[in-house]
Amino acid sequence: MTRQPDSVSASFTSAQSPSTAVAGDADDTNPQHVSRRRFLRRTGTAVLAGGALHSLGALGIAGALTHSREARAAGAPLTLRIGYQKSSTLTVLAKTRGTLAQALAPLGVTLTWHEFTSGLPLLEALNVGSIDFSADVADTVPVFAQAAGARIAYVARETPSPDAEAILVPQNSPIKTLSELKGKRIAVTKGAGVHYLLIAALQSVGLRINDVQPAYLTPADGRAAFASGNVDAWVTWDPFVASVERQDKVRTLTTARGLAGYQRYYLATPAFARDHDVVLREVYRVLRETGQWVRTNPREAAAQLAPVWGLDAATVEAANKRRSYDVQPVVRDAIAEQQRIADVFTQAGLLPKRVDAADATIWQAPA
């Protein structure tokens, strides 16, 4: 398979495409380079440096004055800085439809939006104080962030969507089973949910991560390597799965079903969770209602997301069918699953230190 990714797919996966502000919102891009490199080195993900980070936000640490106790005491308006990825479906819809801005306006809250290429740089920005709230990231990402010393607060989760992740091979590949991945070069995004899927899939057939050749690539680079035949398999998630299924001749070796739960988490800084309960309640309500709307209006949701993602509506709808979009509170059982994920990465030698998943704040969402 030699065809390069088409323009539609490239539009979705582009690491440098500018985000678009809705009325009353702002986007800015002023990365904190030193903090970024330090964080990525600690998580063992320096492969992401120099292009994976789209925006840390111009407010950064210096802009934290807006959120300080002194500023609030002086009656300063609150700016909620939201980090997201293009695949952050519910957050993207809340942004483009203006529903979140509308919900928070009576509270005197304005929004700024900051787009990232993947979950690790997104949580790095949360850790260094450049954003206050993170749209959904895969369950593995907070684990890697904690390993790097990040302080995080779980705000909400999307219930499992195991069919939204897959290990793909070209349709004409001689690889027919998971055990035949031994020794093969596999594209995967480091620290993403698919990273855990790859490890779990290999373990299910008695293999370890060291038995294959991981190529740690961003989704855009993974797609390019897969299309050009530079890797034997690609582990990715929707809507990338749906896009490549509709545009290339591929086979699915396995989804995450039976191997990994693939829950997605919304997070905030512990300080923001502590000081802005009312704001987070509105954010939680809007996300939950948006998820319900997507499930009951799949075609309309796909039509609204298609121009934002640069994909056709049919591809978006196919991808959305495999996501739960069921926003729920974070419970202790979910943290236990986070601990299991952390232990697997630790045993594989992929974390610099053992992570205590319970060493994180859990914001109490309304029942």
Side-chain angles (χ1 to χ4, degrees):
M1 182 167 59
T2 58
R3 187 167 68 84
Q4 294 294 325
D6 53 73
S7 59
V8 172
S9 178
S11 173
F12 183 87
T13 57
S14 171
Q16 298 300 328
S17 59
S19 53
T20 304
V22 298
D25 303 329
D27 293 85
D28 40 70
T29 54
N30 181 19
Q32 305 286 340
H33 296 291
V34 174
S35 296
R36 165 165 55 93
R37 289 193 293 269
R38 186 180 300 120
F39 184 94
L40 293 173
R41 282 197 298 270
R42 287 202 301 269
T43 57
T45 54
V47 67
L48 296 175
L53 184 59
H54 180 81
S55 167
L56 278 176
L59 291 178
I61 297 173
L65 177 61
T66 304
H67 304 271
S68 69
R69 295 183 187 276
E70 292 80 2
R72 292 196 304 276
L78 176 67
T79 298
L80 172 57
R81 302 164 297 172
I82 300 175
Y84 69 101
Q85 305 170 64
K86 279 189 183 293
S87 58
S88 301
T89 308
L90 304 186
T91 305
V92 168
L93 284 170
K95 176 179 185 288
T96 57
R97 300 173 75 208
T99 52
L100 187 56
Q102 182 179 8
L104 293 177
L107 300 177
V109 178
T110 58
L111 306 176
T112 60
W113 303 88
H114 311 272
E115 184 185 325
F116 297 80
T117 59
S118 61
L120 279 174
L122 175 51
L123 288 202
E124 176 213 345
L126 191 75
N127 185 49
V128 301
S130 296
I131 60 172
D132 309 296
F133 180 82
S134 164
D136 55 302
V137 296
D139 41 20
T140 56
V141 180
V143 167
F144 270 74
Q146 283 186 273
R151 304 296 298 178
I152 59 176
Y154 286 97
V155 172
R157 66 190 173 100
E158 289 180 17
T159 56
S161 302
D163 291 330
E165 293 184 315
I167 300 178
L168 305 172
V169 295
Q171 191 175 66
N172 60 357
S173 171
I175 300 172
K176 306 295 182 183
T177 65
L178 290 172
S179 59
E180 292 173 302
L181 290 175
K182 184 175 183 179
K184 297 299 189 291
R185 184 169 171 80
I186 303 171
V188 62
T189 300
K190 193 164 192 176
V194 290
H195 197 179
Y196 180 68
L197 168 58
L198 176 59
I199 294 172
L202 293 173
Q203 287 181 341
S204 72
V205 292
L207 298 176
R208 300 176 302 165
I209 193 70
N210 293 337
D211 292 321
V212 300
Q213 301 178 56
Y216 293 122
L217 301 171
T218 64
D221 291 339
R223 174 67 186 272
F226 184 70
S228 63
N230 288 329
V231 295
D232 301 293
W234 184 28
V235 196
T236 192
W237 63 94
D238 273 318
F240 305 108
V241 174
S243 176
V244 73
E245 283 178 338
R246 291 177 61 84
Q247 296 167 358
D248 294 327
K249 295 180 179 180
V250 301
R251 276 190 292 109
T252 297
L253 276 184
T254 186
T255 67
R257 185 165 293 276
L259 296 169
Y262 188 45
Q263 295 191 83
R264 297 185 68 86
Y265 288 94
Y266 297 83
L267 302 108
T269 64
F272 195 90
R274 179 192 64 226
D275 297 336
H276 299 291
D277 180 77
V278 174
V279 174
L280 286 182
R281 283 176 175 268
E282 282 300 295
V283 173
Y284 179 86
R285 179 184 64 80
V286 170
L287 289 173
R288 185 167 171 78
E289 290 177 356
T290 304
Q292 293 168 343
W293 181 82
V294 171
R295 296 197 303 274
T296 56
N297 300 274
R299 289 192 176 180
E300 188 175 353
Q304 292 188 16
L305 285 166
V308 178
W309 285 356
L311 297 172
D312 64 276
T315 297
V316 176
E317 187 173 356
N320 284 347
K321 285 180 179 178
R322 294 191 285 239
R323 287 275 297 274
S324 73
Y325 296 129
D326 179 20
V327 177
Q328 295 289 337
V330 177
V331 295
R332 282 293 166 189
D333 286 350
I335 301 303
E337 174 63 18
Q338 291 295 90
Q339 188 62 59
R340 286 190 286 272
I341 292 172
D343 292 343
V344 166
F345 276 109
T346 301
Q347 292 162 8
L350 294 168
L351 292 179
K353 64 179 182 180
R354 185 184 182 277
V355 168
D356 183 357
D359 186 22
T361 302
I362 298 180
W363 177 78
Q364 295 299 314

